[in-house]
Amino acid sequence: MAGGGATLTEAVTINRVEAPVTFKAYMMCAFAAFGGIFFGYDSGYISGVMGMDYVIHMLTGLDKDSVSSDSYVLPSWKKSLITSILSAGTFFGALIAGDLADYFGRRFTIISGCSVFIVGVILQTASSSLGLLVAGRLVAGFGVGFVSAIIILYMSEIAPRKFRGTLVSGYMFCVTIGMLLASCVDYASEKRQDSGSYRIPIALQMAWAIILAFGLFLLPESPRYYVKKDRLEDAVRVLARLRGQPTDSEYVQQELMEIVANNEYELQLTPQGGYFESWKHCFSGSLRNPSSNLRRTILGTSVQMMQQWTGINFIFYFGTTFFQELGTINNSFLISLITTLVNVFSTPISFWTIERFGRRALMIYGALGMLICEFVIAIVGVTDGSNPAAVKAMISFICIYVFFFASTWGPGGWVVIGEIFPLPIRSRGVALSTASNWLWNCIIAVITPYMVGTDQANLGARVFFIWGALCTCCFVYAYFLVYETKGLTLEQVDKMMEECSPRTSSKWKPTSTFSVEMGLSDKKIDAVSLQEEKV
């Protein structure tokens, strides 16, 4: 940008609202997906830890040689408490994160989350009793809530539109990598008969948080955060860095103009007020208006609820102990590792399919595939569950079920919530949606041990009838309520939701821009002191 100011010189053309993506800019956006590793690792390690002989003895006082193998397990209430307390902390952490992201920025909130998480991990590592372990998981939950809510927001705001779905899917892939690493570490340490059996997998989590926090120090803030704060000089600078362009590039000017125009348009519809007023905006508008903030908030929170209703976390939270309680599997840790491997290798498929076929199609057919697998598992388990051959068939269909989730609803649910909210409420909308995920995660973590525990309802494979019924709800939900957002900028998504229904959204094409409608083609950005940042 030269001279006394940078002029936004032309109206943005429909298909030219972003710069071509350079490899360096792509990698900068992709690094943020690393946050999925510590999210996935934290979700994955607890199943194995609760099945370790040393941990069972430490938390129950039972002697393995004096009780039967099916009785040498943690009581259902302890499994429920240990697992769900993290989700409870994460629920509140995600809600708080929405405010922090608006006041202090996306990067600051993620880095703060890493710091809080490390404190929680230290408490868990030092624990030798249930109390301190639970306290540590509660504190760590707040940190995970910060990161899981805002990393999706940050990635959606900095990623180029053509690869936004792929990059957010990359986050989910990193989640599966974290789960795989957790399973491997659990598998390697579960035979140890000292505190290292659980302290090693717990303490290793700190490494992922440190790497993410350090990397975020080097990455730029979201340009849309700067627009929201009316810091347009900073927005130009970071947008140019993210797109690999000079600050006076026409591409950068056009993209910024569209972001500013969309923000001004939304502020006209929902003027900003005080703290409580800003939260109230998330629920403004008519329930009958598909583009109202209320409908978008319901869509975001319900799609995350549905993601939990698929039952996938039953496999990753309680898979090890569930396989132990079937009584026909010699090495439940190995089976859990196999399901995690399926999860890892299935997720990258979505990198291509989510941009080729779209979010809506993936979630419809993914739900259909999952519900079929879950009903098959339930029927086989009920009719011939004690037959080792039948158990192998169940495990095979569990793996197919994991494949459908990992390649569709796993990444799809997170991609959708990062795209559907307008800028004035985006941070709080994504925070509410993520909090919904963790609320239902917590509910499922609380009730599942009672549903399948041998000392409680002891449903066994019959629990998959429940997951199958809920996946049927996911199928109907995706068909009637999920919009197609592939290939659109966040601002174009906003326009699309105003003009069409979910079932016709895949055919929608942009015909105008916010910058033209708001008359911003002659706006200027003062940048006297702005120097081009070398990237």
Side-chain angles (χ1 to χ4, degrees):
M1 300 175 73
T7 305
L8 297 176
T9 54
E10 300 177 1
V12 184
T13 58
I14 302 298
N15 296 317
R16 192 182 176 189
V17 288
E18 280 187 350
V21 183
T22 65
F23 178 75
K24 183 176 181 179
Y26 180 87
M27 292 308 296
M28 288 171 60
C29 297
F31 177 81
F34 185 86
I37 289 186
F38 103 42
F39 173 24
Y41 188 95
D42 190 69
S43 299
Y45 86 87
I46 196 63
S47 175
V49 165
M50 291 191 300
M52 291 178 178
D53 291 345
Y54 184 87
V55 172
I56 295 172
H57 174 71
M58 180 180 74
L59 297 181
T60 65
L62 294 174
D63 184 351
K64 186 177 182 179
D65 296 329
S66 62
V67 297
S68 61
S69 59
D70 59 347
S71 299
Y72 194 67
V73 294
L74 290 178
S76 296
W77 73 268
K78 287 187 177 180
K79 287 191 287 187
S80 173
L81 176 62
I82 293 170
T83 306
S84 63
I85 197 66
L86 178 104
S87 303
T90 307
F91 170 78
F92 292 106
L95 290 178
I96 295 170
D99 288 332
L100 295 179
D102 268 354
Y103 290 130
F104 301 108
R106 286 48 164 151
R107 282 196 320 155
F108 174 85
T109 306
I110 297 170
I111 293 169
S112 299
C114 292
S115 302
V116 173
F117 178 77
I118 289 172
V119 173
V121 172
I122 291 172
L123 293 175
Q124 292 176 72
T125 305
S127 67
S128 57
S129 63
L130 182 65
L132 190 56
L133 178 64
V134 168
R137 283 183 62 78
L138 178 63
V139 173
F142 275 89
V144 174
F146 282 20
V147 175
S148 62
I150 306 306
I151 201 76
I152 294 297
L153 171 65
Y154 178 72
M155 292 178 65
S156 296
E157 290 191 338
I158 68 173
R161 59 173 177 163
K162 292 182 179 179
F163 299 103
R164 188 174 60 242
T166 299
L167 288 169
V168 177
S169 296
Y171 167 80
M172 194 62 202
F173 177 61
C174 287
V175 171
T176 66
I177 292 292
M179 289 180 171
L180 175 61
L181 290 172
S183 293
C184 291
V185 175
D186 282 348
Y187 187 63
S189 66
E190 55 107 3
K191 296 295 184 183
R192 293 177 63 110
Q193 295 304 310
D194 56 29
S195 62
S197 60
Y198 70 93
R199 283 179 170 152
I200 291 173
I202 290 175
L204 191 59
Q205 297 174 96
M206 285 188 282
W208 320 131
I210 291 170
I211 293 171
L212 179 63
F214 180 76
L216 263 292
F217 271 116
L218 304 179
L219 292 180
E221 181 55 84
S222 163
R224 287 174 170 86
Y225 165 73
Y226 284 135
V227 168
K228 183 178 174 68
K229 289 294 188 181
D230 201 27
R231 294 167 57 181
L232 300 188
E233 298 95 333
D234 290 327
V236 170
R237 176 174 52 80
V238 299
L239 190 58
R241 184 180 173 192
L242 286 167
R243 299 297 179 253
Q245 299 283 322
T247 53
D248 60 354
S249 163
E250 186 177 355
Y251 286 111
V252 172
Q253 295 291 298
Q254 289 179 339
E255 183 173 355
L256 180 63
M257 180 163 56
E258 185 70 355
I259 295 170
V260 171
N262 175 252
N263 186 52
E264 292 192 6
Y265 170 77
E266 291 296 340
L267 288 176
Q268 288 181 0
L269 297 179
T270 54
Q272 298 299 289
Y275 175 77
F276 293 105
E277 189 70 20
S278 62
W279 272 104
K280 183 180 177 182
H281 288 323
C282 293
F283 305 96
S284 63
S286 169
L287 190 61
R288 295 184 178 181
N289 180 4
S291 66
S292 69
N293 288 348
L294 174 61
R295 281 284 292 268
R296 296 185 198 218
T297 300
I298 291 174
L299 175 61
T301 53
S302 59
V303 77
Q304 290 291 298
M305 174 185 74
M306 291 289 175
Q307 190 190 64
Q308 289 297 313
W309 279 14
T310 62
I312 192 65
N313 280 328
F314 169 71
I315 301 298
F316 295 123
Y317 282 174
F318 303 106
T320 301
T321 53
F322 173 73
F323 294 137
Q324 286 175 339
E325 290 166 359
L326 286 178
T328 56
I329 296 175
N330 294 327
N331 194 333
S332 58
F333 282 87
L334 181 60
I335 301 301
S336 293
L337 180 58
I338 291 172
T339 59
T340 305
L341 281 169
V342 172
N343 193 29
V344 170
F345 288 110
S346 301
T347 302
I349 296 172
S350 67
F351 293 1
W352 178 73
T353 56
I354 204 160
E355 298 296 355
R356 175 64 179 84
F357 301 108
R359 290 70 159 144
R360 176 177 164 82
L362 252 64
M363 297 180 78
I364 291 173
Y365 291 108
L368 179 62
M370 285 189 289
L371 72 88
I372 292 172
C373 289
E374 286 171 324
F375 281 126
V376 169
I377 294 166
I379 292 169
V380 172
V382 168
T383 56
D384 200 14
S386 60
N387 185 336
V391 172
K392 291 178 181 178
M394 290 167 60
I395 293 172
S396 298
F397 274 96
I398 287 174
C399 289
I400 298 171
Y401 153 65
V402 171
F403 162 79
F404 276 112
F405 175 85
S407 58
T408 59
W409 272 80
W414 293 104
V415 171
V416 167
I417 68 167
E419 297 177 332
I420 61 175
F421 294 103
L423 182 56
I425 67 163
R426 185 172 295 143
S427 63
R428 288 186 170 95
V430 174
L432 284 168
S433 301
T434 307
S436 171
N437 180 290
W438 289 108
L439 173 64
W440 285 97
N441 188 303
C442 181
I443 292 171
I444 290 172
V446 168
I447 65 175
T448 300
Y450 295 97
M451 293 164 61
V452 298
T454 54
D455 59 338
Q456 298 294 331
N458 195 23
L459 291 180
R462 288 172 292 178
V463 75
F464 282 94
F465 280 120
I466 298 174
W467 303 134
L470 292 175
C471 266
T472 303
C473 296
C474 294
F475 174 77
V476 175
Y477 172 91
Y479 180 77
F480 285 104
L481 295 176
V482 174
Y483 285 86
E484 184 50 72
T485 57
K486 72 168 183 172
L488 303 177
T489 67
L490 296 181
E491 290 68 41
Q492 288 170 343
V493 170
D494 204 24
K495 175 69 70 176
M496 178 267 292
M497 294 183 73
E498 292 181 353
E499 297 181 354
C500 68
S501 68
R503 285 184 287 175
T504 61
S505 58
S506 60
K507 299 177 182 178
W508 184 88
K509 301 294 181 185
T511 57
S512 182
T513 64
F514 282 104
S515 57
V516 171
E517 294 178 8
M518 297 297 293
L520 294 188
S521 58
D522 295 325
K523 287 272 185 177
K524 292 185 178 181
I525 297 176
D526 183 20
V528 174
S529 60
L530 183 62
Q531 297 180 351
E532 292 186 8
E533 181 172 327
K534 299 195 180 293
V535 293

